[in-house]
Amino acid sequence: MIEIINVRPPWRTADLCVFDAQLGPNLRLFNLALRHLPNGHHRVLAPNAAGKHSASFAPPLANEIAKAALAKLGGQRAYDADRSAA
């Protein structure tokens, strides 16, 4: 089970949003970025620590995380989702 806990506007213009996710009852990941690639796929990026990504995800897990984040956004960019909630 993947639950998206929080979605925020992105820090980088190439990203759709920054989000926090809970994977099962024992693991929370913070400040993940969701990026839309030119080929139509999405990529989940972990935050940097000392100039390197702090985690990486196997493609099946990354796809599941991306699907959960996209579902939480409801097809909008994080900025648009923030505006519609106001």
Side-chain angles (χ1 to χ4, degrees), residues 14-16 34-45:
D15 297 339
L16 296 174
L34 180 65
R35 184 170 293 171
H36 181 77
L37 301 176
N39 65 5
H41 292 104
H42 291 87
R43 183 169 183 196
V44 176
L45 301 168

Side-chain angles (χ1 to χ4, degrees), residues 46-55:
N48 289 338
K52 307 250 183 202
H53 290 297
S54 59

Side-chain angles (χ1 to χ4, degrees), residues 7-74:
V7 177
R8 298 173 297 287
W11 300 319
R12 289 177 237 120
T13 57
D15 297 339
L16 296 174
C17 66
V18 172
F19 64 98
D20 306 328
Q22 181 160 342
L23 284 69
N26 299 314
L27 178 63
R28 286 187 183 175
L29 301 169
F30 298 95
N31 296 321
L32 300 173
L34 180 65
R35 184 170 293 171
H36 181 77
L37 301 176
N39 65 5
H41 292 104
H42 291 87
R43 183 169 183 196
V44 176
L45 301 168
N48 289 338
K52 307 250 183 202
H53 290 297
S54 59
S56 65
F57 308 100
L61 177 58
N63 289 337
E64 290 301 312
I65 296 170
K67 284 185 351 187
L70 288 166
K72 184 76 170 187
L73 281 172

